[in-house]
Amino acid sequence: MLRHVNRLQSAVYGIAIGDALGLPVQFMPRDSYPEVTEMIKSEKLPWPAGTWSDDTSLTLATVDSLLTCEGVDIPDMRARFMDWMDNGAYTQDGEAFDQGFTTVHALTHGCGCTNEQSNGNGSLMRILPLAFVKNLSDEQIAQVSGITHAHPLSVEACTVYVHAAQLVLDGFSLTEALETASLSSEIFSYLADISSRKRNEIRSTGYVKDSLEASFWCLLTTDNFRDALIRAVNLGDDTDTIGAITGGMAGLAYGMESVPDSWMNALRKKEIIERCLASQ
């Protein structure tokens, strides 16, 4: 069973909007492009403004599984991920794109990757919906991450992120939640003080540790949805995923009313999101 389902919408839309804002400038070096403040079309990518990528698609697959199965069902969730990869399920144009190597390798071979080199952000970007599962265990977080990313570092990043989201749902402020969740982890305890770092000290790569660090920095150095997302997608490099990770937590903390109308209106095919949210 899930809790606080009425707040799931803002978290999922936060992910989709952060993903779509960041996708057009993905992998571009920091400060090499005009500041992104609205949904734009990439000069290099073929998709229209407002298009989301694998970050959102796999989050929607996770949500669909959790709501349909009324909790964590690993075989069902893996099957939905396979449907995305093979058939373009949960995509806006019927075809998966921007798939991470680790994710594809793990789904193709039927087990999550455990080597040190497989610590991309591919499970962190989709893990947030687990915060809504009643009586969720850390073992379940590990199992869901481990569908694709089973190394302890990826699992720990997902655990910290989900714990922070649970605290927000329990009524903690965003700052309290992020700091408390960070301090509970030996690996990520330093994130409790991440707001003291300057922008040029923040890494924004697809390495899971960098992605969580960048997202927490954006959230802890802003006080609203819009500013957090603008900060995230203008860090450069893995902008869509850092936008998605930041956006999910910001959406959860600040609610649907905080989302700029221009961003919401530009997001393509919202009916796909609504269909997954209604899978009960």
Side-chain angles (χ1 to χ4, degrees):
M1 297 291 291
L2 272 62
R3 63 185 189 135
H4 299 295
V5 178
N6 60 311
R7 298 178 66 182
L8 182 59
Q9 180 189 40
S10 62
V12 172
Y13 270 108
I15 291 168
I17 287 170
D19 183 5
L21 274 173
L23 182 63
V25 292
Q26 183 187 36
F27 302 135
M28 295 177 68
R30 185 175 301 176
D31 299 329
S32 68
Y33 51 89
E35 184 182 43
V36 175
T37 60
E38 295 294 341
M39 297 282 187
I40 60 173
K41 184 188 183 307
S42 170
E43 295 180 358
K44 299 180 180 180
L45 302 175
W47 305 288
T51 299
W52 70 64
S53 70
D54 58 326
D55 307 72
T56 302
S57 292
L58 287 173
T59 298
L60 293 176
T62 301
V63 168
D64 205 10
S65 179
L66 292 175
L67 290 173
T68 300
C69 301
E70 299 187 339
V72 176
D73 185 314
I74 299 300
D76 181 84
M77 198 174 291
R78 182 183 289 112
R80 293 174 192 274
F81 292 175
M82 291 292 296
D83 194 21
W84 159 77
M85 184 176 70
D86 294 339
N87 304 313
Y90 309 102
T91 67
Q92 291 163 306
D93 298 301
E95 183 177 359
F97 68 92
D98 200 30
Q99 304 97 315
F101 174 81
T102 298
T103 295
V104 172
H105 184 274
L107 293 177
T108 301
H109 290 83
C111 59
C113 299
T114 58
N115 58 308
E116 178 70 34
Q117 291 71 36
S118 296
N119 275 312
N121 51 26
S123 61
L124 181 62
M125 69 188 192
R126 59 173 166 81
I127 207 75
L128 183 60
L130 288 190
F132 293 84
V133 176
K134 290 183 178 179
N135 302 315
L136 179 73
S137 68
D138 287 356
E139 177 59 27
Q140 288 175 308
I141 299 173
Q143 290 172 348
V144 173
S145 175
I147 295 173
T148 55
H149 294 68
H151 188 278
L153 179 63
S154 289
V155 170
E156 183 70 3
C158 288
T159 302
V160 169
Y161 187 67
V162 171
H163 283 180
Q166 290 174 318
L167 290 169
V168 172
L169 285 172
D170 289 338
F172 286 77
S173 72
L174 182 57
T175 298
E176 290 172 333
L178 296 177
E179 292 178 351
T180 300
S182 299
L183 290 171
S184 69
S185 167
E186 183 175 343
I187 296 173
F188 292 103
S189 59
Y190 74 97
L191 292 180
D193 298 318
I194 197 68
S195 62
S196 63
R197 295 197 186 181
K198 296 180 180 179
R199 184 170 181 261
N200 62 8
E201 298 177 297
I202 300 300
R203 299 177 296 274
S204 53
T205 75
Y207 177 45
V208 70
K209 195 171 183 181
D210 290 351
S211 298
L212 188 64
E213 173 183 299
S215 297
F216 274 33
W217 181 80
C218 293
L219 292 161
L220 288 168
T221 57
T222 57
D223 61 5
N224 62 84
F225 183 89
R226 184 179 186 276
D227 288 349
L229 269 290
I230 289 175
R231 186 154 293 188
V233 302
N234 287 293
L235 284 175
D237 209 343
D238 202 1
T239 49
D240 61 329
T241 302
I242 291 172
I245 298 167
T246 304
M249 192 72 74
L252 181 61
Y254 299 120
M256 286 295 293
E257 64 275 10
S258 68
V259 179
D261 290 342
S262 62
W263 294 358
M264 193 68 173
N265 292 337
L267 192 66
R268 299 179 58 223
K269 298 191 178 180
K270 292 184 282 292
E271 63 272 16
I272 299 173
I273 296 175
E274 291 298 328
R275 186 165 61 246
C276 290
L277 289 170
S279 298
Q280 301 181 62

